[in-house]
């Protein structure tokens, strides 16, 4: 998780932190939602926060689109 990552694992610290933050939110909140409408709403909310807090300029699908799943593992 976000507390376990080490500087050597972050070639691009800003990008890595952003992706890890999204990953943690998806695992804690998104995975517990049961309907597609709620899941879509949650991803939209995360995307808005990424734009306002992390100044992310990537398109929504570049972050949440099929094949762009954010994966971190232990």
């Amino acid at each position: 998780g976000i507390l376990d990552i080490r500087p050597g694992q972050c070639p691009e610290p800003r990008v890595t932190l952003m992706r890890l933050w999204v990953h943690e939110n998806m695992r804690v909140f998104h995975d517990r939602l049961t309907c597609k409408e709620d899941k879509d709403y949650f991803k939209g909310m995360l995307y808005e926060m990424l734009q306002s807090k992390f100044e992310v300029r990537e398109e929504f699908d570049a972050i949440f689109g099929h094949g762009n799943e954010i994966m971190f593992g232990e």
Side-chain angles (χ1 to χ4, degrees):
I2 212 159
L3 296 176
D4 294 328
I5 198 152
R6 301 289 177 249
Q9 298 169 301
C10 302
E12 298 177 70
R14 190 174 196 291
V15 173
T16 303
L17 179 62
M18 181 271 299
R19 291 175 59 85
L20 187 54
W21 180 81
V22 170
H23 176 82
E24 294 287 331
N25 277 280
M26 294 291 283
R27 298 296 70 87
V28 172
F29 300 108
H30 181 269
D31 286 356
R32 287 160 178 74
L33 299 173
T34 57
C35 69
K36 182 177 178 353
E37 292 82 16
D38 289 346
K39 289 181 178 207
D40 290 344
Y41 177 82
F42 184 78
K43 285 192 270 188
M45 186 176 64
L46 273 183
Y47 184 65
E48 287 177 17
M49 292 180 76
L50 286 171
Q51 290 177 313
S52 66
K53 304 297 182 193
F54 288 91
E55 300 176 356
V56 166
R57 299 292 174 244
E58 289 87 356
E59 294 292 323
F60 180 88
D61 286 338
I63 298 170
F64 296 104
H66 181 70
N68 293 321
E69 292 82 9
I70 299 171
M71 300 297 289
F72 281 87
E74 296 178 281

